[in-house]
């Protein structure tokens, strides 16, 4: 009896630990996404994680971040003619994760990596300044969550957008910072 109780306590503790390792993700319904149909990833779980900045102003409240995420989706769909917002996930200066295309979908963010990567955009311009500590922590939590839920390969390669095409993205300061993040590679 006591042993069974111990086992179920252990199970609940383990289960809540697994849930805790994934950050809360603000859903598309919550931020008011337009409906969109995107292709499944070709390589799933994906082998690469590509870090971006939005090259816009940043945001520190959920309302302001949701406004920016909606504006990115409008720009990507209406001006670029893409099927949806380009990124798989976005992270605000508020430290929250916003679902873009989400897990398992091909993105439109890094030529030749779109069908085998997760594209994560930190909202703001990180040429000389860095994202908030909360945003950086959320990025690590999201990547770890992907690995533990098998939506990112455990041996993924981390890279910046500029390693896929000629762009300043994710900004000099953030690009320097991600070089000390786990699994960064100079040779994606
Ligand atoms: C994945 O994307 C690359 C580059 O964009 C393309 O050459 C390749 O054909 C794609 N793979 C598949 C199976 O669609």
């Amino acid at each position: 009896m006591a042993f069974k109780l111990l086992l179920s306590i252990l199970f609940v503790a383990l289960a809540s630990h697994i849930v805790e390792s994934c950050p809360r993700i603000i859903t598309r319904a919550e931020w008011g996404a337009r409906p969109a149909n995107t292709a499944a990833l070709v390589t799933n779980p994906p082998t690469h994680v590509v870090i971006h900045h939005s090259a816009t102003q940043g945001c520190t409240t959920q309302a302001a971040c949701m406004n920016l995420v909606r504006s990115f989706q409008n720009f990507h769909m209406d001006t670029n003619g893409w099927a949806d917002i380009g990124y798989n996930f976005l992270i605000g200066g508020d430290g929250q994760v916003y679902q873009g295309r989400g897990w398992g979908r091909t993105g439109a963010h890094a030529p030749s990596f779109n069908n085998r990567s997760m594209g994560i955009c930190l909202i703001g311009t990180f040429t000389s300044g860095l994202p908030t500590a909360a945003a950086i922590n959320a990025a690590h939590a999201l990547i770890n969550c992907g690995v533990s839920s098998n939506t990112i390969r455990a041996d993924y390669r981390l890279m910046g957008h500029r390693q896929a095409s000629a762009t300043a993205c994710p900004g000099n300061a953030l690009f320097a910072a991600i070089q000390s993040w786990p699994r960064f590679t100079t040779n994606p």
Side-chain angles (χ1 to χ4, degrees), residues 107 135 152 177:
I152 295 175

Side-chain angles (χ1 to χ4, degrees), residues 52-53 91-93 122-126 129-136 170 173-174 177 181:
H52 299 261
H53 71 166
I91 296 175
L122 287 99
I123 300 173
T125 300
F126 304 114
L130 283 172
T132 62
I136 291 175
L174 180 56
W181 291 14

Side-chain angles (χ1 to χ4, degrees), residues 42 111-112 115:
V42 173
S112 91
N115 59 21

Side-chain angles (χ1 to χ4, degrees), residues 68-85:
L68 284 169
V69 173
R70 281 190 296 269
S71 75
F72 303 154
Q73 190 192 32
N74 288 336
F75 185 79
H76 290 172
M77 293 177 78
D78 300 336
T79 303
N80 296 355
W82 297 344
D84 192 4
I85 192 168

Side-chain angles (χ1 to χ4, degrees), residues 71-162:
S71 75
F72 303 154
Q73 190 192 32
N74 288 336
F75 185 79
H76 290 172
M77 293 177 78
D78 300 336
T79 303
N80 296 355
W82 297 344
D84 192 4
I85 192 168
Y87 314 110
N88 296 92
F89 294 98
L90 304 96
I91 296 175
D94 62 343
Q96 296 205 89
V97 181
Y98 297 81
Q99 184 182 349
R101 296 189 182 200
W103 302 119
R105 314 312 298 176
T106 287
H109 59 86
S112 91
F113 289 92
N114 286 322
N115 59 21
R116 53 190 174 123
S117 69
M118 282 288 105
I120 301 175
C121 175
L122 287 99
I123 300 173
T125 300
F126 304 114
T127 308
S128 51
L130 283 172
T132 62
I136 291 175
N137 289 341
H140 290 305
L142 180 67
I143 295 168
N144 292 339
C145 161
V147 168
S148 66
S149 57
N150 201 33
T151 49
I152 295 175
R153 264 177 68 144
D155 62 350
Y156 72 90
R157 293 177 174 203
L158 183 90
M159 60 186 281
H161 181 194
R162 63 174 64 179

